[in-house]
């Protein structure tokens, strides 16, 4: 697998021009994209969640996200789509986080009262929800509205799960 083609596919998914079905089927890519997403997210968690163990938080988060995707695909009888769906979820997460980090550092922490920081954070949140909803829409063969509902459960479920498990 050429990495430039994978990156192009993930960028097209992040721009809502392609779906997870356009990512090559490779179980190794799930691990690769999860590792890249963790590496890119580590500085964000270290900066914006002080006092928590970023590595442990990422491990719990990646485990929840993979289990969530696997479970919803199994519920729809589409378990064979897990590898490409997980690759798309982790890969686009890495891309969005890579874009978000410099923007958040320039605008301030998400919890700050700076209007620019709030607008940037809300914009990134909506973009991420749209991309995750788009991925689930294709993976589950449902309407975009249903994909966004699954994305909301995925995103906020992950946050709640991490807080419940780690207390942070």
């Amino acid at each position: 697998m050429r990495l430039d083609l994978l990156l192009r596919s993930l960028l097209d998914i992040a721009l809502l021009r392609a779906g997870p079905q356009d990512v090559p089927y490779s179980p190794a890519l799930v691990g690769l994209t999860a590792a890249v997403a963790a590496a890119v997210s580590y500085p964000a968690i270290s900066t914006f969640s002080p006092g928590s163990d970023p590595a442990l938080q990422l491990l719990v988060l990646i485990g929840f996200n993979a289990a969530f995707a696997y479970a919803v695909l199994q519920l729809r009888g589409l378990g064979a789509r897990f590898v490409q769906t997980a690759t798309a979820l982790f890969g686009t997460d890495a891309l969005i986080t890579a874009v978000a980090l410099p923007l958040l550092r320039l605008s301030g922490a998400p919890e700050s009262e700076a209007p620019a920081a709030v607008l940037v954070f809300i914009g990134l949140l909506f973009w991420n929800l749209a991309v995750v909803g788009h991925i689930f829409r294709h993976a589950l063969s449902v309407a975009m509205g249903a994909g966004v509902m699954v994305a909301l459960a995925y995103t906020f479920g992950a946050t709640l799960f991490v807080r419940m498990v780690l207390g942070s």
Side-chain angles (χ1 to χ4, degrees):
M1 170 66 199
R2 291 183 35 200
L3 288 180
D4 60 324
L5 294 177
L6 173 63
L7 186 59
R8 184 66 170 156
S9 294
L10 294 172
L11 183 60
D12 284 344
I13 293 170
L15 297 174
L16 310 181
R17 297 188 302 214
Q21 68 276 6
D22 297 311
V23 173
Y25 180 93
S26 169
L29 286 179
V30 176
L32 175 68
T33 54
V36 171
V40 173
S41 297
Y42 190 91
I45 291 175
S46 297
T47 302
F48 299 116
S49 295
S52 67
D53 180 350
L56 184 58
Q57 194 170 342
L58 285 165
L59 189 64
V60 171
L61 190 60
I62 287 171
F64 174 86
N65 290 344
F68 183 95
Y70 183 80
V72 296
L73 288 166
Q74 287 295 328
L75 286 173
R76 294 269 302 162
L78 301 167
R81 296 181 180 182
F82 172 74
V83 169
Q84 290 171 296
T85 301
T87 300
L89 288 168
F90 292 132
T92 56
D93 179 60
L95 285 176
I96 292 170
T97 302
V99 170
L101 265 178
L103 292 174
L104 290 173
R105 286 191 187 270
L106 288 173
S107 63
E111 67 274 3
S112 74
E113 294 182 19
V118 173
L119 288 175
V120 167
F121 182 75
I122 290 172
L124 291 168
L125 180 65
F126 278 109
W127 180 29
N128 188 52
L129 284 173
V131 171
V132 173
H134 176 74
I135 291 168
F136 278 118
R137 168 186 156 211
H138 284 278
L140 299 171
S141 298
V142 296
M144 185 61 177
V148 169
M149 295 303 289
V150 174
L152 286 169
Y154 174 85
T155 302
F156 294 111
T159 301
L160 290 174
F161 185 75
V162 167
R163 287 180 185 216
M164 187 176 68
V165 170
L166 301 178
S168 59

